[in-house]
């Protein structure tokens, strides 16, 4: 067995539950899921697909809040234990580079990434169709929106938590302006978070049915001694609509467009009532992961049925053992995807 370790900071107050003795999966759910229920604050009907990070001795998060007019925006939440959250009542007051207010027409599926002393929010917004938005904050009081990194259409973007080869690196998933029936993960680099290039293909849908329609990056990749651990969602089309599960892959540390290992099986698929029943049934959509390098513990935050937030647990050793045991990488994964 390969010894797998998280390269990163310890987090002694990471939320945690031991694996139930009857669980046969490498990832197990928090027993008190969902952690956020419906109508969590005035004017917001559902919170889901959201991202969290440690901040000082507690936690901070960016939350997709579906307003009662049906339009999603991003709200800040704070927590002492990363389970019980209190939310700011107003959506994030982004500003542009001139300091003027910038309120996107809609904003959804935020990711939250810290690089050095700056926090970045990456989300999907309207730019003549679904596109990627990005903003930076150091204090969670002022949020400066940066230039749109990509042309439309694109959803599901997340930054790596450090520069690689001197550049910022972002995963994203180009798409169309509807409920896209295709989708591969690509990678792009930037020296300054404004001009993006060196676009490469990372991986596409596989022949395994749970992810044979489209895939998209989830939480910021987790650095380990064997590569970047990437949790991602995979979609299958059924006679009853799309079903979203999540799986994992391990990307090369220095050349992350190369997939070193890719798990044939999903890690978590809709099974519980809060995943199978909701505004959009059968959706498990991971957007964040807390990690503790001291113990290898990982707490994955995922949206459930476009209605709730759930937590699932694993350890870096257990999940990587599972990926290596169910490993299948093809040429389109392992090449440097430059065409
Ligand atoms: C995707 C995204 C997610 C959503 C999922 C299921 O296209 O829009 O926000 O959770 O569909 O509805």
């Amino acid at each position: 067995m390969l010894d797998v370790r998280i390269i990163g900071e310890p987090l002694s107050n990471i939320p945690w539950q031991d694996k139930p003795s009857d669980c046969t999966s490498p990832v197990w759910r928090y027993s008190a899921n969902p952690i956020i229920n419906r109508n969590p604050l005035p004017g917001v009907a559902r919170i889901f697909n959201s991202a969290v990070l440690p901040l000082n001795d507690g936690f901070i998060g960016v939350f997709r809040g579906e307003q009662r007019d049906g339009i999603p925006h991003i709200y800040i939440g704070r927590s002492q234990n990363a389970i019980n959250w209190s939310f700011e009542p107003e959506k994030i007051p982004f500003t542009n580079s001139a300091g003027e207010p910038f309120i996107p027409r809609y904003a959804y599926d935020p990711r939250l990434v810290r690089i050095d002393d700056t926090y970045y929010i990456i989300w999907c917004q309207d730019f003549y169709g679904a596109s990627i938005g990005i903003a930076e904050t150091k204090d969670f009081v002022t949020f400066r929106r940066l230039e749109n990194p990509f042309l439309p259409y694109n959803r599901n973007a997340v930054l790596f938590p450090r520069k690689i080869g001197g550049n910022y690196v972002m995963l994203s998933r180009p798409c169309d302006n509807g409920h896209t029936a295709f989708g591969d993960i690509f990678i792009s680099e930037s020296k300054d978070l404004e001009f993006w290039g060196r676009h490469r293909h990372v991986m596409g849908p596989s022949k395994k049915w749970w992810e044979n329609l489209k895939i998209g990056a989830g939480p910021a990749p987790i650095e380990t001694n064997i590569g970047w651990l990437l949790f991602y969602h995979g979609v299958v089309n059924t006679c009853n609509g799309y079903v979203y599960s999540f799986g994992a892959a391990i990307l090369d540390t220095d050349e992350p467009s190369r997939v070193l290992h890719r798990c044939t099986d999903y890690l978590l698929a809709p099974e519980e009532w809060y995943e199978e029943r909701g505004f959009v049934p059968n959706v498990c959509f991971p957007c964040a992961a807390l990690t503790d390098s001291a113990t290898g513990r990982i707490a994955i935050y995922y949206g459930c049925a476009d209605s709730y937030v759930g937590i699932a647990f694993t350890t870096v050793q257990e999940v990587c053992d599972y990926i290596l045991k169910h490993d299948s990488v093809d040429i389109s994964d392992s090449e440097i995807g430059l065409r």
Side-chain angles (χ1 to χ4, degrees):
M1 195 172 77
L2 214 56
D3 175 41
V4 192
R5 283 167 286 108
I6 292 169
I7 298 173
E9 292 167 15
L11 184 63
S12 58
N13 56 346
I14 189 171
W16 185 251
Q17 269 180 343
D18 286 333
K19 181 168 171 166
S21 54
D22 59 351
C23 176
T24 54
S25 161
V27 169
W28 54 99
R29 295 168 176 82
Y30 177 47
S31 62
N33 275 351
I35 59 164
I36 301 167
N37 282 312
R38 289 192 184 230
N39 301 303
L41 67 156
V44 174
R46 301 178 306 280
I47 280 181
F48 55 100
N49 299 5
S50 300
V52 306
L53 275 182
L55 183 71
N56 304 325
D57 57 357
F59 297 88
I60 190 92
V62 288
F63 292 84
R64 170 175 175 163
E66 219 87 328
Q67 303 176 128
R68 291 175 72 99
D69 61 7
I71 297 176
H73 279 283
I74 307 173
Y75 295 77
I76 293 291
R78 294 170 198 276
S79 174
Q80 273 312 306
N81 61 7
I83 293 172
N84 306 109
W85 292 87
S86 45
F87 301 104
E88 293 184 4
E90 299 300 332
K91 51 183 96 112
I92 290 186
F94 294 109
T95 55
N96 63 21
S97 50
E100 297 151 351
F102 164 74
I103 301 295
R105 281 186 51 216
Y106 59 75
Y108 64 81
D109 296 359
R111 315 300 203 271
L112 183 61
V113 181
R114 180 166 73 94
I115 302 178
D116 303 325
D117 64 347
T118 305
Y119 295 83
Y120 297 95
I121 305 168
I122 308 105
W123 71 93
C124 178
Q125 68 173 11
D126 180 46
F127 171 45
Y128 300 87
S131 299
I132 302 304
I134 177 168
E136 63 177 18
T137 183
K138 287 187 196 292
D139 54 10
F140 289 92
V141 176
T142 56
F143 301 85
R144 193 171 71 93
R145 175 229 181 162
L146 308 180
E147 288 287 333
N148 294 326
F150 306 129
L151 295 168
Y153 308 99
N154 200 318
R155 298 191 192 100
N156 294 305
V158 67
L159 281 170
F160 282 69
R162 68 164 171 85
K163 291 182 177 176
I164 302 172
N167 290 334
Y168 296 96
V169 183
M170 183 129 75
L171 297 172
S172 76
R173 210 279 304 281
C175 60
D176 65 18
N177 61 352
H179 298 295
T180 316
F182 61 90
D184 294 35
I185 298 175
F186 289 81
I187 196 165
S188 309
E189 297 183 26
S190 173
K191 294 219 172 300
D192 54 9
L193 290 169
E194 179 166 349
F195 298 98
W196 291 86
R198 284 179 59 90
H199 310 290
R200 301 282 185 271
H201 183 261
V202 181
M203 56 200 263
S206 83
K207 294 196 173 60
K208 308 301 172 196
W209 283 14
W210 70 270
E211 55 163 349
N212 69 0
L213 185 76
K214 56 178 171 174
I215 61 171
I222 298 165
E223 189 166 13
T224 79
N225 58 318
I226 63 166
W228 294 100
L229 170 60
L230 173 69
F231 295 113
Y232 67 94
H233 66 259
V235 183
V236 58
N237 196 9
T238 71
C239 22
N240 203 28
Y242 290 173
V243 175
Y244 283 71
S245 307
F246 66 83
I250 297 171
L251 314 181
D252 185 81
T253 300
D254 300 319
E255 188 72 64
S257 71
R258 275 188 197 280
V259 182
L260 303 179
H261 308 283
R262 179 172 181 174
C263 194
T264 53
D265 296 357
Y266 62 75
L267 300 174
L268 196 117
E271 287 176 6
E272 295 291 336
W273 66 265
Y274 50 87
E275 298 161 351
E276 292 181 335
R277 199 174 78 216
F279 194 74
V280 180
N282 297 317
V283 179
C284 295
F285 196 93
C287 289
L290 296 174
T291 61
D292 175 26
S293 60
T295 59
R297 291 174 174 176
I298 301 175
I300 303 163
Y301 286 71
Y302 66 106
C304 310
D306 287 10
S307 301
Y308 311 100
V309 173
I311 305 177
F313 302 111
T314 188
T315 67
V316 74
Q317 185 73 57
E318 176 146 9
V319 77
C320 290
D321 283 347
Y322 190 85
I323 296 167
L324 294 173
K325 194 168 159 203
H326 301 87
D327 191 2
S328 113
V329 168
D330 70 24
I331 179 69
S332 78
D333 300 324
S334 55
E335 69 180 354
I336 296 184
L338 175 63
R339 286 190 194 149

